[in-house]
Amino acid sequence: MYHPIFLFDAYGTLFDVHSAVRRHAAELGPDAQRLSELWRTKQLEYSWIRSATGAYKDFWALTKDALDAAFAVYPQVDPDLREKLLEAYRSCDCFPEVPAVLRDLKIAGTRIAILSNGSPLMLNRAIRAAGLGDIIDDVLSVDTIGCYKPDPRVYEMATTHFRVFPSAISFQSSNRWDVAGGSKYGFRTVWINRAGALDEYQDMRPAAELPDLTGLTKL
């Protein structure tokens, strides 16, 4: 481990985006998992379209829009559960290994930061709920510049904030497209491949691939 700055994506990497639906799976019924997957898919799709068109809306607004789209596709799911799901999303569970790994990195002398599409209020709530407030040093939200990953301006926020070259930053994300963006920008990237997905961006490879954050301190 040789990078003094460890920069993490938030949703899908530190926080489990499907935990909100799992909390209410019994009430949602047999389409719960499909609804959760579509909710996430639309959330990301909307962020890319908003960036490409310059019609920025913050990530919380997109999260609500995406949930409404998912409900429209699965009308048999009770729409009265909308507010419960949104409230659960505000405090998504963090993945089980996250607190210990981040704490080990911090003890080793690294600076721990988040670079996320999430709005500041979303991120602050999730960090508090996960008990990570005393571990994370910096939280960078795309709200500052009004566009979403993988726009290079998002990654530039980190180099500007820390006043370092991209190669001084180790960037971790579970989203392969995000890793591709970070690699292209010049970060040393680690793909947290929680889903065991295929690598679709061979020309923008990560420096390492892990099934979860465990092992980061040994790279």
Side-chain angles (χ1 to χ4, degrees):
M1 184 178 64
Y2 56 90
H3 284 71
I5 301 166
F6 271 66
L7 185 66
F8 293 85
D9 168 62
Y11 294 102
T13 304
L14 300 181
F15 306 118
D16 184 352
V17 295
H18 298 294
S19 64
V21 166
R22 280 201 304 272
R23 292 182 199 176
H24 300 287
E27 295 173 272
L28 290 163
D31 289 320
Q33 182 176 346
R34 287 186 289 271
L35 181 134
S36 188
E37 290 169 355
L38 183 59
W39 185 7
R40 175 62 169 171
T41 297
K42 287 297 180 182
Q43 182 193 51
L44 294 176
E45 176 189 326
Y46 293 168
S47 73
W48 296 328
I49 295 300
R50 291 284 170 177
S51 272
T53 59
Y56 183 78
K57 288 173 70 173
D58 73 41
F59 203 58
W60 185 241
L62 300 189
T63 299
K64 293 189 286 186
D65 290 347
L67 179 56
D68 290 338
F71 272 123
V73 171
Y74 297 104
Q76 61 272 36
V77 177
D78 184 358
D80 288 342
L81 293 170
R82 181 180 187 270
E83 292 308 315
K84 282 187 177 182
L85 291 176
L86 290 173
E87 180 59 26
Y89 200 96
R90 289 185 180 97
S91 56
C92 286
D93 298 338
C94 71
F95 289 101
E97 84 282 3
V98 167
V101 172
L102 295 192
R103 197 170 296 280
D104 286 347
L105 288 170
K106 194 173 182 69
I107 290 171
T110 61
R111 192 162 180 175
I112 308 299
I114 285 176
L115 177 65
S116 176
N117 281 344
S119 67
L121 287 176
M122 288 178 70
L123 293 168
N124 290 338
R125 175 77 176 270
I127 290 167
R128 287 198 308 271
L132 301 177
D134 63 331
I135 305 174
I136 295 170
D137 300 301
D138 303 90
V139 179
L140 306 178
S141 166
V142 301
D143 256 15
T144 304
I145 58 173
C147 68
Y148 289 104
K149 301 176 190 176
D151 191 303
R153 289 174 293 175
V154 176
Y155 306 113
E156 187 179 26
M157 289 174 60
T159 52
T160 299
H161 179 80
F162 294 113
R163 298 182 180 180
V164 296
F165 291 112
S167 59
I169 294 176
S170 179
F171 176 59
Q172 291 65 228
S173 179
S174 65
N175 302 298
R176 185 60 182 92
W177 52 268
D178 193 12
V179 170
S183 296
K184 180 68 174 176
Y185 183 70
F187 291 151
R188 179 257 204 177
T189 56
V190 181
W191 181 23
I192 309 302
N193 188 6
R194 295 187 181 277
L198 295 175
D199 189 347
E200 300 179 83
Y201 302 96
Q202 291 291 318
D203 59 332
M204 293 179 281
R205 299 290 301 275
E209 177 182 340
L210 297 171
D212 56 37
L213 297 190
T214 306
L216 262 184
T217 57
K218 299 177 182 179
L219 291 179

